[in-house]
Amino acid sequence: MDCMFFLILTAITSNPGTGVIQASVISRPKMISRAECLSESNLLDEIRKLSSGLSQTDFGEMKKLLLGEANQSSICRQRVISAVLSRMKTRPTEQADFLLWQHGADILGDLKAVEAIDHLVAHLDVSDGLSPSMSHYPAARALIQIGSSALPKLANALSQSSDPYFRRKALFCIAQIGGQQAARALKDASHLETDRCNSRFINTSIRAFKNRDFPNQITSRTRAEWYSAFLCRK
Amino acid sequence: MAFSGSYQEGKPNGGGQIRYGSGLAYGVGFTVFGSVSSGGIGHIMKDTNLKNPGGAWTIEQWTSGYTNINGSVYLKGGPAHADLNSTVPYEINGNEFRWYDHPGLEDKDPQSSRNPLKSYEGRFDIAVKVINGAQQCEVKFRISSTFSNGNWSHSWGQLN
């Protein structure tokens, strides 16, 4: 036995009562004509599948096809990104829509689709509403995968949005992306932020960035405290 | 798997609620924790562990969820999807790992069609794994939460 889980099932029913990146490496596409790209109808057929109940295996195969297509040329890449974005126009209201967002954002993140940054930042708050964990926020996840290219727009969202919860999600992405540019964005935000929880989250992030092992990154050692500051229990 | 105690302050295991900002999340919190004998943890599903990018093992969580909110089915169940990445609360120290999740229902937007909440049924079949090529350890379990007549109830148990 080389690995183990510790299983503690101390109770099986609670008391009823009060409601109590690494992204895939995408090589630079070569310039070839549009004729060598997947046909419009084939591309749309693939993109339509995003909102169906794809198994992870089926989604993996579809993603491989689309990433391969995007790698054919800059024109093919642009067509894939546009087609995915066109399916992510509306906010999800049911599971099929959310699956579309989850799968679509996964592809955009793997493609490091800087073309999608504006749309993703505008939809940072899209979630399935099942958990406050940021793994349920597909746009945030994609922006983190895109990385430092997303930082200027995320920093801009901090100064533009009047919604403190929206700003906190942008701060989460900035801190999770990390690096010197992120550190500067957090420092700038610390002078502007008016929400108490967000100010605390910024300060906790800046403190967490000051470590020897991985400067300007959130490390495993400080992650629990950092995540608590993000959730901000008032 | 721990369904009692807490991952840390504010992240309780077991049935209940967690508060964040001005919102509440109802459901069942759990902490997955374990270890591998050697080789280290290199990945959190497809995300790299910065501290040990060459680690041999990958931690994974797969979830199939069914939810019915105020009589409308939102999640329909079906194939399990990848449900873990580096945006969740996690810790990896050498060959040891742990992470936290709290599936259920967020209550954050008073204007949402989910409010006022009249009924909720959530069922999550979850598999957590640590994998290194052909070697793997896996635990499967089910979490259920219901809200009716103003009361929440929660249960959980291991699946075969």
Side-chain angles (χ1 to χ4, degrees), chain A residues 2-3 6 19 22 106 223, chain B residues 1 17 46 48 86 135 137:
Chain A
D2 288 324
C3 58
F6 303 100
Q22 178 179 6
D106 194 33
R223 191 172 177 81
Chain B
M1 300 294 311
Q17 62 185 19
K46 73 175 187 178
T48 303
S86 60
Q135 299 178 81
C137 288

Side-chain angles (χ1 to χ4, degrees), chain A:
Chain A
M1 173 66 82
D2 288 324
C3 58
M4 64 189 295
F5 284 108
F6 303 100
L7 188 64
I8 304 176
L9 287 164
T10 53
I12 57 166
T13 308
S14 72
N15 292 327
T18 56
V20 220
I21 310 194
Q22 178 179 6
S24 304
V25 176
I26 307 298
S27 57
R28 184 177 291 278
K30 55 186 183 291
M31 289 295 293
I32 58 171
S33 73
R34 183 178 179 147
E36 292 180 44
C37 301
L38 210 60
S39 75
E40 192 78 25
S41 61
N42 283 348
L43 179 60
L44 289 176
D45 281 349
E46 289 301 321
I47 300 290
R48 266 187 215 109
K49 292 180 194 166
L50 285 174
S51 55
S52 61
L54 286 173
S55 69
Q56 200 66 25
T57 310
D58 290 341
F59 173 61
E61 283 172 12
M62 180 210 184
K63 190 164 86 166
K64 197 174 165 187
L65 186 146
L66 291 177
L67 295 183
E69 168 68 4
N71 203 29
Q72 288 290 317
S73 72
S74 56
I75 295 171
C76 300
R77 173 189 153 89
Q78 195 53 54
R79 289 177 72 234
V80 170
I81 291 169
S82 298
V84 172
L85 279 173
S86 72
R87 294 284 289 155
M88 294 168 68
K89 269 184 192 161
T90 53
R91 286 177 171 267
T93 55
E94 57 181 40
Q95 185 187 23
D97 300 335
F98 185 73
L99 284 173
L100 166 70
W101 268 85
Q102 201 170 37
H103 292 330
D106 194 33
I107 290 167
L108 295 173
D110 275 2
L111 282 172
K112 293 193 176 286
V114 292
E115 303 89 333
I117 290 172
D118 283 334
H119 189 69
L120 293 168
V121 171
H123 293 84
L124 254 183
D125 54 345
V126 162
S127 93
D128 59 4
L130 301 178
S131 168
S133 166
M134 285 301 279
S135 64
H136 292 255
Y137 288 77
R141 164 96 184 116
L143 287 164
I144 291 165
Q145 278 188 279
I146 290 169
S148 57
S149 303
L151 287 172
K153 291 289 170 62
L154 285 164
N156 191 47
L158 294 178
S159 58
Q160 298 295 314
S161 173
S162 58
D163 178 353
Y165 305 107
F166 188 91
R167 294 201 301 277
R168 200 174 316 154
K169 287 170 181 68
L171 288 166
F172 183 99
C173 294
I174 290 169
Q176 181 97 19
I177 290 168
Q180 285 186 343
Q181 199 182 343
R184 276 196 300 276
L186 290 172
K187 198 174 172 188
D188 291 347
S190 71
H191 301 306
L192 299 172
E193 186 55 58
T194 53
D195 179 78
R196 190 179 62 84
C197 281
N198 287 358
S199 291
R200 186 173 153 240
F201 183 46
I202 291 169
N203 291 334
T204 307
S205 301
I206 291 171
R207 264 202 318 276
F209 271 19
K210 290 176 182 165
N211 72 86
R212 285 183 187 173
D213 295 340
F214 296 97
N216 300 321
Q217 299 287 343
I218 305 297
T219 65
S220 201
R221 194 170 54 80
T222 52
R223 191 172 177 81
E225 183 198 356
W226 175 75
Y227 218 102
S228 279
F230 167 68
L231 293 177
C232 189
R233 295 170 65 234
K234 284 182 178 170

Side-chain angles (χ1 to χ4, degrees), chain B residues 95-150:
Chain B
N95 290 318
E96 297 179 353
F97 57 85
R98 67 175 193 143
W99 73 86
Y100 180 77
D101 198 359
H102 190 278
L105 181 71
E106 266 191 288
D107 181 15
K108 57 175 180 177
D109 180 5
Q111 305 303 319
S112 160
S113 59
R114 295 171 178 184
N115 281 319
L117 185 65
K118 293 169 190 158
S119 65
Y120 173 83
E121 184 189 355
R123 201 167 52 242
F124 301 90
D125 288 350
I126 299 172
V128 293
K129 305 178 186 189
V130 52
I131 296 180
N132 176 13
Q135 299 178 81
Q136 76 166 53
C137 288
E138 179 177 26
V139 176
K140 292 180 182 173
F141 55 98
R142 172 173 290 175
I143 283 173
S144 301
S145 294
T146 58
F147 177 76
S148 65
N149 301 318

Side-chain angles (χ1 to χ4, degrees), chain B:
Chain B
M1 300 294 311
F3 287 96
S4 61
S6 64
Y7 179 84
Q8 67 171 135
E9 190 188 353
K11 297 188 186 69
N13 298 322
Q17 62 185 19
I18 55 173
R19 180 172 288 283
Y20 62 100
S22 67
L24 286 170
Y26 301 92
V28 177
F30 63 88
T31 299
V32 180
F33 63 110
S35 65
V36 295
S37 58
S38 63
I41 311 296
H43 288 87
I44 305 107
M45 294 207 93
K46 73 175 187 178
D47 291 349
T48 303
N49 173 18
L50 275 183
K51 218 168 160 184
N52 184 11
W57 295 81
T58 298
I59 51 175
E60 298 191 347
Q61 179 173 315
W62 296 84
T63 303
S64 170
Y66 168 86
T67 57
N68 185 318
I69 303 167
N70 290 340
S72 298
V73 173
Y74 181 70
L75 297 183
K76 300 183 176 79
H81 65 271
D83 195 21
L84 183 70
N85 58 50
S86 60
T87 63
V88 308
Y90 74 90
E91 265 184 82
I92 297 172
N93 288 306
N95 290 318
E96 297 179 353
F97 57 85
R98 67 175 193 143
W99 73 86
Y100 180 77
D101 198 359
H102 190 278
L105 181 71
E106 266 191 288
D107 181 15
K108 57 175 180 177
D109 180 5
Q111 305 303 319
S112 160
S113 59
R114 295 171 178 184
N115 281 319
L117 185 65
K118 293 169 190 158
S119 65
Y120 173 83
E121 184 189 355
R123 201 167 52 242
F124 301 90
D125 288 350
I126 299 172
V128 293
K129 305 178 186 189
V130 52
I131 296 180
N132 176 13
Q135 299 178 81
Q136 76 166 53
C137 288
E138 179 177 26
V139 176
K140 292 180 182 173
F141 55 98
R142 172 173 290 175
I143 283 173
S144 301
S145 294
T146 58
F147 177 76
S148 65
N149 301 318
N151 289 317
W152 282 95
S153 62
H154 309 281
S155 63
W156 54 89
Q158 193 169 3
L159 294 172
N160 292 322

